Amino acid sequence: LPLVGVVQLGGWRFRPHDAAASHTGRSSTETPDDAHSVRGAAWSADLPADRRLTVRVWRPGDRMRTRDGEAARRVKRFFSDARVPGPGRTGWPVVLVDDEIVWIPGIRRTVAASERSGRPVLCYTCERSDGGFPSR
């Protein structure tokens, strides 16, 4: 689905928000423990406004590169690192910039999904449709 305005994907909702509200002082490469504290920055991302943004359910075999020049890791491994059990991964969304995964909400973002000095950004927050955040 194109990530434009409020987007509902299964039991997940993506909402745009003010850029000033997205800056929590956390790194875009925070650990999963940090990400799950209190509506941590891993549940929000600053995405490039000048690129094609889409959201879809993760698929087995998906890979994400956390930094330029690093080898891409399987999304499944990020779930494992965050202690999300197999059944809890069903329907989990991933956000893509063009055709590359840049954000696994609540789990990890890439440097492409962080503040972009001087470039236009769209700030999004992901939450469960029922208003709660999933637990690990």
Side-chain angles (χ1 to χ4, degrees):
L1 297 170
L3 189 56
V4 178
V6 176
V7 174
Q8 185 81 30
L9 178 67
W12 303 81
R13 181 182 306 126
F14 290 82
R15 295 181 314 160
H17 59 86
D18 180 27
S22 72
H23 300 291
T24 63
R26 290 197 183 142
S27 163
S28 64
T29 57
E30 63 195 335
T31 66
D33 290 333
D34 294 337
H36 287 279
S37 56
V38 180
R39 294 189 183 210
W43 292 106
S44 296
D46 295 342
L47 303 166
D50 55 354
R51 310 264 300 273
R52 183 172 48 94
L53 304 175
T54 55
V55 61
R56 65 169 171 78
V57 173
W58 86 282
R59 301 176 194 141
D62 276 348
R63 293 178 171 272
M64 184 173 82
R65 184 180 327 276
T66 56
R67 290 188 180 90
D68 288 338
E70 282 188 1
R73 289 178 55 195
R74 289 184 185 265
V75 169
K76 176 180 171 178
R77 176 102 183 251
F78 290 111
F79 284 130
S80 180
D81 291 348
R83 296 183 213 100
V84 176
R89 301 171 189 174
T90 303
W92 203 289
V94 293
V95 174
L96 296 86
V97 171
D98 296 329
D99 292 320
E100 186 175 344
I101 295 173
V102 297
W103 181 29
I104 309 165
I107 305 295
R108 187 73 184 243
R109 296 178 306 187
T110 69
V111 294
S114 59
E115 185 176 352
R116 300 164 55 88
S117 180
R119 297 190 64 190
V121 296
L122 295 172
C123 306
Y124 272 88
T125 297
C126 177
E127 60 189 1
R128 295 295 303 240
S129 297
D130 59 11
F133 286 81
S135 60
R136 295 193 248 159

